[in-house]
Amino acid sequence: MSAIGVVSSCSCLRPGVWLLKPGMQKMSSFGLHTAARCAAKDYYEVLVLGGGTGGITMSARMKRKVGAGNVAVVEPSKTHYYQPLWTLVGGGAKQLATSARPTGSVMPKGVEWIQSRVTALDPDKNCVWLENDIKISYKYLIIALGISLHYEKIKGLPEGFHHPKIGSNYSVHTVEKTWKALQDFKEGNAIFTFPNTPVKCAGAPQKIMYLSEAYWRKTGKRSKANIMFNTSLGVIFGVKKYANALLEIIKERNITVNYKRNLVEVRADKQEAVFENLEKPGATEVHEYEMLHVTPPMGPPDVLINSPVSDEIGWVDVDKETLQHKKYPNVFGIGDCTNLPTSKTAAAVAAQSGVLDKTISLVMKNQLPTKKYDGYTSCPLVTGYNKVILAEFDYDAQPLETFPIDQSKERVTMYHMKADMMPFLYWNALLKGYWGGPAPVRKLMHLGLK
């Protein structure tokens, strides 16, 4: 697989560090964790697979339950990324380096960091296999392996990214190419895509479109841009309240939406994008582009496909209310790698972490889980350089809003929450296991109105 077709853990993409400033590539030397390429032990009370958002969050929570020396995290990458910031990086509003920290600096102190990859899971024997045939056993297993990006499933990619005019906010290797393509735009079609697969943060493919439109308005190029959103879906957004608001914005800003269109090929040398019409099997359309933003097809990590812990597609098969595995009671899942029927976002991981903490606590006491996850997820829909519609909803695609205001309205305050407050909360609360989503805030806000 190419360097771009990598796995990301729970809404936090974690490939190489070649785009980072040299100073950010250095590991912390303050003894924040125990790190080794090989495990120090062959058994841990709690073993966590994946060092993205869900993995780090749950390892911090488990450390407080069973002690740091009894918890290990399997994670190969040296750098941890806060990927939700990449929308703003692609739009030129944030620097890529601000989204990255050394993995060692976010690993809970004393927790064993096994810097390796999982190659197989054997839940019937309570063990996993790592590279070099290393076997690690566990009492409890938390799977937080994220979601894989598959640029290679689009003909002409990822090699097409070596050409100008094309970018993608979903990879550390290509997010800055989005900003370059945006700046270099002269005249023609600007095409933004949404694939025919599950994706992480389903709002991101159109967020960069709104930022691009705003940038071209600001720089006097808007009249020369024909902005197109080619989506494999049949709706602009899955929650009607927010979809209606977005459709108004699309109409006001003269954006064309082509539904049921899936990107199948990029001819980067000719600046052409080929789409299949999902309503007419076999029919394709070719569009020239002056700028192309690609959202790649995505799927479960390879190690989970045909694994005993996964469903028929490859997602970890967990109870949607407790996050406990449906077959193996000492196995749990969190985040993008699971088959939870909700939008895959960092906000969802936050809410799931609080529920999973309670679930594991009760399982450890030989009690049945009682706390239930309602599918809460959130998507701050960036509609400009100072505007956000804060979409929050549940399993039933019904709004589940935190604030006692109409969150379908564009608001400056919500933009600052997305751009400034949420990164702070992520690094200082969520990854440390102290933030379980906004449910307590929501209760307080709405109680205050009674």
Side-chain angles (χ1 to χ4, degrees), residues 430-441:
L430 178 57
L431 292 189
K432 297 182 187 303
Y434 294 119
W435 174 249
V441 178

Side-chain angles (χ1 to χ4, degrees), residues 175-312:
V175 61
E176 291 183 316
K177 294 178 184 293
T178 302
W179 174 228
K180 183 71 165 60
L182 182 53
Q183 291 175 293
D184 291 346
F185 184 92
K186 293 181 175 62
E187 183 175 4
N189 292 332
I191 306 175
F192 302 82
T193 74
F194 191 109
N196 192 25
T197 67
V199 299
K200 59 168 71 180
C201 192
Q206 58 184 300
K207 295 177 193 179
I208 186 59
M209 176 177 69
Y210 301 127
L211 285 175
S212 299
E213 194 275 341
Y215 179 78
W216 292 325
R217 264 191 287 122
K218 182 179 178 181
T219 55
K221 296 180 180 179
R222 179 62 185 90
S223 62
K224 298 180 179 181
N226 178 33
I227 301 175
M228 303 164 60
F229 187 55
N230 282 14
T231 172
S232 65
L233 302 179
V235 294
I236 195 67
F237 197 74
V239 181
K240 191 173 186 301
K241 176 178 181 177
Y242 308 119
N244 290 341
L246 291 171
L247 288 172
E248 284 297 317
I249 291 170
I250 285 167
K251 182 179 178 182
E252 290 169 5
R253 300 181 192 177
N254 193 27
I255 294 170
T256 300
V257 179
N258 297 312
Y259 297 106
K260 297 293 183 176
R261 300 298 193 276
N262 183 45
L263 180 66
V264 294
E265 181 181 358
V266 175
R267 302 166 183 166
D269 56 333
K270 299 178 181 178
Q271 291 178 216
E272 292 178 346
V274 183
F275 294 85
E276 63 176 340
N277 185 334
L278 298 176
E279 294 181 316
K280 298 178 181 178
T284 59
E285 303 169 358
V286 180
H287 295 282
E288 293 183 351
Y289 64 82
E290 170 66 7
M291 174 184 173
L292 176 65
H293 179 270
V294 178
T295 300
M298 304 181 200
D302 288 345
V303 71
L304 293 179
I305 296 174
N306 297 320
S307 169
V309 300
S310 303
D311 63 16
E312 64 279 3

